[in-house]
């Protein structure tokens, strides 16, 4: 995060790289649309400090999906094409959640939610439903006693790649206004 951070985009650290584990050579990278990245994502404007969460959906020992959070409170998802023969089509990516200053409908210091820690993704089978539960908590690691920001714990059901029946695409990023506040159900 830039030292003069005011909730707007960052100038550093807003990329995701895939490198060869043996040689260290760059294979592929993603960043915002103003870069020369292999995969360009509009809105990928905030520093990434967390470790990527890599999922093998079909147990073939190859990565299929990568989830990662950023300091704008966004959740990004990358789908890996393991049949691909070049870097151009290796992965697609998009923002599937905006929960901080990246959500332009939110303003003020209280909405500067940041995602520092890795996202937890787990397969859920419940009744006749299957989905990936994407769980992330926001927080201000640099100032853990900060009480100005309204941090939260978020769960998204991702039914794009792990589902029963018909897949449900996430076509626009989820926002706080799209989520159910389950804490209100337990206040009594």
């Amino acid at each position: 995060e830039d030292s003069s951070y005011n909730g707007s985009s960052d100038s550093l650290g807003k990329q995701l790289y895939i490198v060869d584990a043996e040689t260290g050579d760059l294979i592929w990278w993603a960043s915002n649309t103003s870069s020369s990245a292999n995969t360009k994502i509009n809105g990928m404007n905030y520093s990434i400090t967390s470790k990527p969460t890599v999922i093998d959906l079909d147990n073939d020992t190859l990565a299929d999906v990568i989830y990662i959070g950023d300091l704008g409170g966004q959740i990004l998802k990358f789908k890996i094409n393991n049949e691909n023969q070049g870097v151009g089509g290796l992965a697609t990516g998009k923002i599937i959640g905006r929960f901080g200053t990246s959500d332009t409908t939110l303003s003020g210091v209280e909405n500067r939610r940041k995602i520092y820690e890795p996202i937890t993704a787990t397969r859920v089978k419940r009744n006749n439903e299957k989905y990936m539960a994407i769980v992330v908590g926001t927080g201000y690691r640099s100032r853990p006693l900060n009480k100005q920001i309204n941090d939260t714990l978020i769960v998204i059901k991702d039914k794009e790649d792990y589902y029963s029946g018909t897949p449900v695409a996430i076509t626009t990023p989820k926002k706080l206004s799209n989520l159910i506040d389950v804490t209100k159900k337990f206040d009594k």
Side-chain angles (χ1 to χ4, degrees):
E1 178 177 84
D2 300 332
S3 59
S4 61
Y5 186 69
N6 63 3
S8 62
S9 65
D10 295 318
S11 60
L12 303 171
K14 51 189 176 184
Q15 300 87 13
L16 177 66
Y17 297 96
I18 296 177
V19 298
D20 184 304
E22 293 179 357
T23 66
D25 292 340
L26 177 65
I27 296 172
W28 169 93
W29 69 293
S31 191
N32 62 21
T33 52
S34 65
S35 72
S36 61
N38 302 110
T39 300
K40 298 177 183 180
I41 299 174
N42 187 26
M44 192 172 175
N45 298 325
Y46 302 93
S47 296
I48 297 170
T49 63
S50 69
K51 178 178 137 184
T53 300
V54 181
I55 306 292
D56 174 6
L57 292 170
D58 53 9
N59 297 317
D60 63 356
T61 70
L62 299 173
D64 295 306
V65 178
I66 300 171
Y67 295 100
I68 196 161
D70 69 23
L71 296 185
Q74 298 184 126
I75 299 174
L76 295 98
K77 177 182 179 180
F78 297 89
K79 292 171 74 168
I80 308 299
N81 177 1
N82 289 305
E83 303 299 319
N84 182 59
Q85 298 298 313
V87 296
L90 178 65
T92 58
K94 63 183 173 181
I95 298 166
I96 64 168
R98 287 193 166 125
F99 304 106
T101 54
S102 58
D103 177 356
T104 57
T105 63
L106 302 174
S107 61
V109 172
E110 66 277 7
N111 292 306
R112 291 187 184 167
R113 293 175 197 87
K114 305 168 188 325
I115 300 172
Y116 279 100
E117 298 300 326
I119 291 168
T120 299
T122 189
R123 296 174 190 170
V124 175
K125 292 181 184 179
R126 186 174 158 220
N127 301 327
N128 293 326
E129 188 177 31
K130 282 175 39 176
Y131 57 89
M132 291 294 295
I134 310 306
V135 183
V136 65
T138 66
Y140 198 174
R141 188 186 308 160
S142 303
R143 294 178 181 82
L145 300 178
N146 180 298
K147 294 182 180 178
Q148 292 179 306
I149 299 171
N150 294 329
D151 286 310
T152 189
L153 181 67
I154 297 161
V155 179
I156 296 175
K157 288 183 177 181
D158 182 351
K159 297 181 181 181
E160 286 187 318
D161 308 296
Y162 183 75
Y163 55 88
S164 52
T166 306
V168 179
I170 300 173
T171 56
T172 58
K174 304 290 184 189
K175 297 181 178 187
L176 284 177
S177 59
N178 303 129
L179 304 180
I180 299 168
D181 184 353
V182 295
T183 59
K184 293 184 178 178
K185 295 183 180 206
F186 300 107
D187 283 343
K188 296 178 182 181

